[in-house]
Amino acid sequence: MSEELTPLERAVVALSRQDPISSLRSRGRKRGWILGLPPGPLPLANPRLEALRQYAIVRRVRGSTGVEAERGQLWEAGFSCKKIEEINDLVDQNRPEKWTVRRMVNELFVFGEVIFRPRGIIK
């Protein structure tokens, strides 16, 4: 087996960027139909590619912590260490760095090392 990701595997990683973490939970079809909820994303038909999708989503949302279970599923699905590293690189290159993420704290916006008030800058 090749040590690089196939184009199909790369496509699965790319498509997983749009999937929310909630897509990993299974919803009952009857429950959704009764409550009028839209059906949740269906898992991929190929279990190997579904393991890849789940790992990419969890890695994107949680970072390198908390992905042990999904990494184990990748191992069981036949992904090598080299392929997992390549997956990590693909997912991580699209994650925002912590210092570029804006967050609101008590009506203050923190961006890098500068704190913004709605009407001015605090250093």
Side-chain angles (χ1 to χ4, degrees):
M1 192 176 268
S2 174
E3 286 297 317
E4 293 183 0
L5 292 175
T6 65
L8 179 60
E9 292 166 345
R10 286 178 175 272
V12 168
V13 172
L15 290 172
S16 72
R17 292 181 194 138
Q18 304 301 317
D19 291 339
I21 192 85
S22 62
S23 70
L24 302 179
R25 290 189 294 257
S26 62
R27 290 189 212 160
R29 289 200 177 272
K30 286 183 183 177
R31 181 175 172 256
W33 180 77
I34 291 170
L35 297 175
L37 300 173
L42 295 174
L44 297 175
N46 183 325
R48 186 171 190 275
L49 296 178
E50 178 60 18
L52 173 59
R53 183 185 80 88
Q54 290 178 8
Y55 178 80
I57 292 169
V58 173
R59 174 78 185 202
R60 184 190 78 229
V61 172
R62 296 186 186 151
S64 60
T65 59
V67 294
E68 292 80 22
E70 287 76 14
R71 187 178 296 126
Q73 290 176 350
L74 279 182
W75 273 99
E76 290 174 11
F79 286 91
S80 66
C81 285
K82 188 167 180 150
K83 281 191 174 187
I84 293 174
E85 287 176 21
E86 189 176 350
I87 294 164
N88 292 341
D89 290 342
L90 286 173
V91 172
D92 291 345
Q93 74 185 8
N94 293 301
R95 287 184 82 226
E97 295 295 326
K98 285 188 178 185
W99 63 271
T100 62
V101 175
R102 287 187 269 175
R103 62 185 185 274
M104 189 168 170
V105 180
N106 296 330
E107 297 186 24
L108 298 175
F109 295 97
V110 179
F111 188 78
E113 295 179 6
V114 179
I115 301 172
F116 296 89
R117 246 189 245 163
R119 297 183 187 252
I121 299 175
I122 304 171
K123 289 192 178 188

